[in-house]
Amino acid sequence: MRWSQDGLMVPTNIFEAATLHFAVQVECSCKHTVRFEAHCLWWHFYRRGWDDRFAQARQRFWCRVCGSKLRRKVRPIRIQPVPEGQHDFELPWPDVRTWKQAVRRVR
Ligand SMILES: [Zn+2]
């Protein structure tokens, strides 16, 4: 986690995005963007043992639009926290106990 210039907490990984109520937006150079609900995305990474820091997590995504057009996997150019919204894409949610255990570990 880091602090923005105006004194707000800014998440630097998916877990922090979830605890700070951000969604995670993934952006491709073709302008296609996808927003993920962060608790769900964290759970997706956690179960696979993937590094959820934004810089590392970027390597786990590829653009579906470019994928169907170019028939190859195109990595996103940017992954960043954005305010939670109604249209964030939800993967399966972690169960409440697993989530609480994860939160306890970092406090
Ligand atoms: Zn693309």
Side-chain angles (χ1 to χ4, degrees):
M1 185 153 62
R2 62 184 178 82
W3 296 88
S4 71
Q5 282 180 336
D6 43 358
L8 298 172
M9 287 190 285
V10 181
T12 53
N13 62 38
I14 297 167
F15 180 78
E16 290 171 356
T19 60
L20 296 171
H21 301 288
F22 283 90
V24 176
Q25 179 174 279
V26 180
E27 181 183 347
C28 177
S29 59
C30 74
K31 303 290 184 206
H32 180 67
T33 61
V34 188
R35 297 167 54 114
F36 291 94
E37 202 296 322
H39 295 80
C40 303
L41 192 59
W42 169 82
W43 180 227
H44 186 80
F45 272 65
Y46 182 81
R47 279 181 299 167
R48 290 162 177 77
W50 292 352
D51 192 334
D52 75 335
R53 288 174 290 176
F54 288 149
Q56 283 74 10
R58 194 168 65 86
Q59 304 303 321
R60 302 293 183 181
F61 295 92
W62 52 279
C63 178
R64 295 195 183 280
V65 175
C66 289
S68 65
K69 206 160 52 188
L70 308 172
R71 307 218 171 276
R72 62 184 177 85
K73 292 186 176 183
V74 177
R75 300 293 165 204
I77 51 167
R78 195 173 300 132
I79 172 169
Q80 61 185 348
V82 290
E84 270 182 347
Q86 287 184 334
H87 304 293
D88 302 333
F89 182 72
E90 296 188 20
L91 296 157
W93 281 76
D95 63 271
V96 173
R97 214 164 96 216
T98 306
W99 174 251
K100 285 186 172 163
Q101 278 172 354
V103 171
R104 263 202 304 276
R105 267 202 305 277
V106 298
R107 285 198 174 141

